[in-house]
Amino acid sequence: MALFLVSRTDHCDCDEYDAIVVRAGDEATALKVATNGRQREKLDGFYWDPDFEGFRRDGSNLAVEKLESRGSAGVILSSFYAG
């Protein structure tokens, strides 16, 4: 398992995620975790409710980067964009 940075490649609005760090076996699995969500029903049909607001279901606005596990102690990700 490795750590992967999954980050947005487009503009991030308020109350959306712009990046997450996940533990996964490969990039494809990291992208699958990042694009996870649920299909929900509403009066006029269905909609996609992502686990990470702003991450597209198809992953088209995301980049995946494997992180080095060695290095000095410190913060890996601090991402805050609240409305």
Side-chain angles (χ1 to χ4, degrees):
M1 294 285 213
L3 295 177
F4 291 89
L5 170 64
V6 182
S7 56
R8 298 267 301 266
T9 58
D10 61 350
H11 175 74
C12 184
D13 287 326
C14 293
D15 299 328
E16 290 184 343
Y17 288 85
D18 62 349
I20 61 172
V21 173
V22 300
R23 184 180 311 277
D26 55 33
E27 288 185 14
T29 304
L31 188 60
K32 185 175 181 178
V33 170
T35 57
N36 192 43
R38 288 159 215 69
Q39 185 163 312
R40 305 235 188 234
E41 188 172 2
K42 59 182 183 178
L43 293 176
D44 58 347
F46 293 91
Y47 71 99
W48 181 250
D49 182 17
D51 288 348
F52 303 101
E53 192 66 43
F55 284 23
R56 292 188 189 141
R57 186 176 187 180
D58 64 1
S60 62
N61 69 334
L62 301 174
V64 182
E65 176 185 352
K66 186 174 181 179
L67 301 174
E68 289 293 326
S69 60
R70 292 179 284 165
S72 57
V75 175
I76 294 175
L77 175 66
S78 179
S79 180
F80 181 79
Y81 193 73

